Amino acid sequence: MRKIRKDLGQRLKIYKAKRARSKSKATFIGITGSSGKSTAAGLLGHILADHAPVHTQVLANAITTLVDTLSRRIPGKTDYVVVEIGAYGVGTIKPMADMLRPHMAIITMVRLEHFASFKTLESVALEKRALVDALLPGGLAVLNADDPHVIGMASAKGHRVVTFGFSEQAHYRVTDVYAAYPDRLKLSIHWRGGVLALDTQFLAEHFWLPTAAAVAAALELGVPQEKVAARVAAFQPLTNRCDLLVTDGGPQFIIDVAKAPWHSMNLALDVMAKATVNRKRIVIGQISDYAGSTRKYAQIYKAAREIADNVIYAGDNAHKSRAGQADRDTGRYHEFRTAKEVSNHIKQTAVAGELILLKSSCNLHLERVALAWTHDVKCWAHTCGKPDGCVTCGLFEVPFEEHRNHVRERRHARRWRHFRRLLGRS
């Protein structure tokens, strides 16, 4: 009975979501891609928020979140709805795309992630293409001109297409990309309105891609280019996606621990290679989709040791670095199993002003190594099973074994406050 009740409840939610979508007069924008979709969605929502009422759904990108967003989270007076769409396996995007029925579809890139499910780039491209195929008549596809698997979606059902990228044929052509920490990302975009010079808060050059995608979409939606440039300059990087934490008298942390697909590992190392600081350390955790590959971990170590003064491997795969005995003996390399051990080591050996990169998939929650410098971190569970980052979870100052009771008490207090308001009490 419980299973039947749950299934009927989910069907009712889907019905309400589809009904709400059919009645909405907002412009719906779906964004997907192997990387860059969260930043592109967040930035586009940030730009549009200064232009018209907008609702942005970012980070949580599964169908359950989309159902909740459509059925009950979108205010009535909303002109734009920006939604991030994620793929978790074959056939997962199409139900979301068909429910969203976007007026605009943005595709950032196609890379081989979730290898166990997709196996080939062509399979990933086919999955992402479902968002373009779901465009309403007269819809607009905003595509990465530099990615052949993305630009190949241009012929889908004859929708209008604009492109962005370094390609000479791109409608929004990117030039003059530069970032070398502490200098933040700058770039120029050539379009039919002229040349738009952009200053950003991003730390790395590869963020040109989500920036260009969001800017192209905003300009196509009629946002004045001066407003676009101002909003881009004010946008802060999303948490755990190559964002910065500068401590008082201690290290500087680049925190890039939301995901770690193989294709992005060298991009993170490139940030460190170009940074102009006196001392560099790199902490490597879990590589997505390649937990069992000693060769991948060894390749990353070889590249990281050429860049950093010290390399630290963390997690259950730390032993796969193939670091030489000389590096171990001289302290050039360290390995630890847990985030707590990494944190203790860095606390003991930190040098003021040094730059430390934390790079891992989300399961190790290595962001706690940086948070421990500004908060009293008490949750050091090796694997908590929560996909959200520690900042989103908000319970990193509560011991892990107390989380359940803490959440229960917080929920009870919230309900009690609501009940008192209903009674007219403060």
Side-chain angles (χ1 to χ4, degrees):
M1 286 299 295
R2 182 180 299 176
K3 185 178 184 301
I4 294 174
R5 188 164 56 247
K6 183 179 179 180
D7 182 59
L8 289 175
Q10 184 62 21
R11 291 187 182 187
L12 179 60
K13 287 182 179 179
I14 291 174
Y15 169 77
K16 289 181 177 179
K18 290 181 177 180
R19 188 167 182 269
R21 170 63 187 93
S22 66
K23 289 186 174 184
S24 176
K25 299 186 184 310
T27 295
F28 285 78
I29 303 163
I31 303 178
T32 193
S34 299
S35 286
K37 58 184 176 291
S38 298
T39 297
L43 178 55
L44 179 56
H46 178 76
I47 295 171
L48 293 175
D50 196 44
H51 180 66
V54 60
H55 178 86
T56 304
Q57 181 62 56
V58 66
L59 300 180
N61 53 29
I63 192 166
T64 52
T65 305
L66 179 61
V67 168
D68 288 341
T69 296
L70 293 177
S71 61
R72 58 185 188 181
R73 293 182 183 175
I74 300 175
K77 295 181 179 180
T78 299
D79 290 344
Y80 297 101
V81 178
V82 181
V83 177
E84 175 188 348
I85 301 291
Y88 299 93
V90 175
T92 53
I93 284 186
K94 189 177 188 308
M96 289 187 281
D98 291 344
M99 185 180 298
L100 185 65
R101 295 167 53 229
H103 299 87
M104 177 185 288
I106 303 172
I107 314 296
T108 59
M109 67 169 68
V110 170
R111 298 291 186 272
L112 190 53
E113 294 186 25
H114 304 293
F115 178 78
S117 297
F118 292 110
K119 306 298 184 185
T120 67
L121 281 170
E122 289 73 22
S123 295
V124 178
L126 183 62
E127 185 69 23
K128 305 297 184 185
R129 183 172 181 149
L131 184 63
V132 178
D133 290 340
L135 279 168
L136 290 173
L140 172 65
V142 181
L143 305 178
N144 181 353
D146 302 330
D147 190 322
H149 288 95
V150 175
I151 202 64
M153 303 175 192
S155 61
K157 297 186 179 180
H159 298 301
R160 190 164 72 89
V161 173
V162 299
T163 57
F164 63 90
F166 292 115
S167 170
E168 290 287 342
Q169 285 72 46
H171 297 96
Y172 293 85
R173 184 166 61 89
V174 177
T175 64
D176 306 319
V177 174
Y178 173 79
Y181 183 78
D183 294 336
R184 309 303 174 91
L185 172 65
K186 299 176 183 291
L187 68 152
S188 297
I189 295 181
H190 302 250
W191 68 300
R192 62 181 182 274
V195 181
L196 183 58
L198 298 170
D199 295 318
T200 81
Q201 297 298 315
F202 295 121
L203 305 179
E205 289 186 353
H206 62 270
F207 280 89
W208 73 265
L209 193 153
T211 301
V215 168
L219 292 172
E220 288 294 318
L221 292 169
V223 182
Q225 64 175 350
E226 298 80 9
K227 186 176 290 187
V228 170
R231 296 295 283 178
V232 168
F235 181 74
Q236 296 296 321
L238 298 178
T239 301
N240 291 349
R241 283 169 166 77
C242 211
D243 67 325
L244 180 69
L245 175 64
V246 178
T247 65
D248 186 12
Q252 309 169 82
F253 290 94
I254 295 177
I255 309 170
D256 196 13
V257 296
K259 55 192 295 189
W262 176 248
H263 70 82
S264 77
M265 295 301 292
N266 283 319
L267 294 177
L269 297 186
D270 187 60
V271 180
M272 296 296 284
K274 292 178 178 176
T276 55
V277 296
N278 292 328
R279 178 176 166 82
K280 304 175 184 179
R281 275 203 263 192
I282 296 174
V283 181
I284 301 293
Q286 180 93 3
I287 301 174
S288 305
D289 287 334
Y290 287 97
S293 173
T294 299
R295 182 169 59 88
K296 297 293 186 184
Y297 284 91
Q299 288 176 355
I300 289 299
Y301 176 68
K302 184 177 179 180
R305 75 179 299 279
E306 296 300 318
I307 297 168
D309 300 282
N310 176 232
V311 179
I312 299 171
Y313 266 42
D316 296 336
N317 296 292
H319 63 285
K320 296 178 180 178
S321 68
R322 290 183 178 168
Q325 192 60 46
D327 284 357
R328 297 171 185 270
D329 292 342
T330 60
R332 183 88 180 267
Y333 170 79
H334 294 87
E335 65 182 51
F336 302 99
R337 183 171 183 269
T338 68
K340 176 63 171 174
E341 292 171 336
V342 176
S343 179
N344 290 341
H345 174 74
I346 290 179
K347 284 272 190 178
Q348 294 166 5
T349 59
V351 176
E354 69 174 321
L355 186 64
I356 302 176
L357 169 67
L358 304 175
K359 180 63 181 177
S360 174
S361 59
C362 64
N363 62 327
L364 291 183
H365 295 295
L366 284 184
E367 65 268 30
R368 292 174 292 179
V369 175
L371 288 171
W373 286 81
T374 55
H375 297 79
D376 183 16
V377 176
K378 294 180 180 176
C379 177
W380 290 105
H382 182 47
T383 51
C384 69
K386 298 180 180 179
D388 296 330
C390 293
V391 174
T392 302
C393 170
L395 298 177
F396 54 86
E397 293 185 303
V398 178
F400 178 70
E401 59 273 13
E402 298 177 16
H403 281 198
R404 182 171 297 181
N405 287 337
H406 184 88
V407 170
R408 186 184 297 115
E409 291 171 3
R410 190 170 58 185
R411 186 184 301 119
H412 176 77
R414 186 165 57 247
R415 289 174 177 171
W416 178 243
R417 287 195 299 269
H418 178 65
F419 179 69
R420 289 176 63 87
R421 282 196 297 270
L422 291 176
L423 296 177
R425 300 176 183 177
S426 58

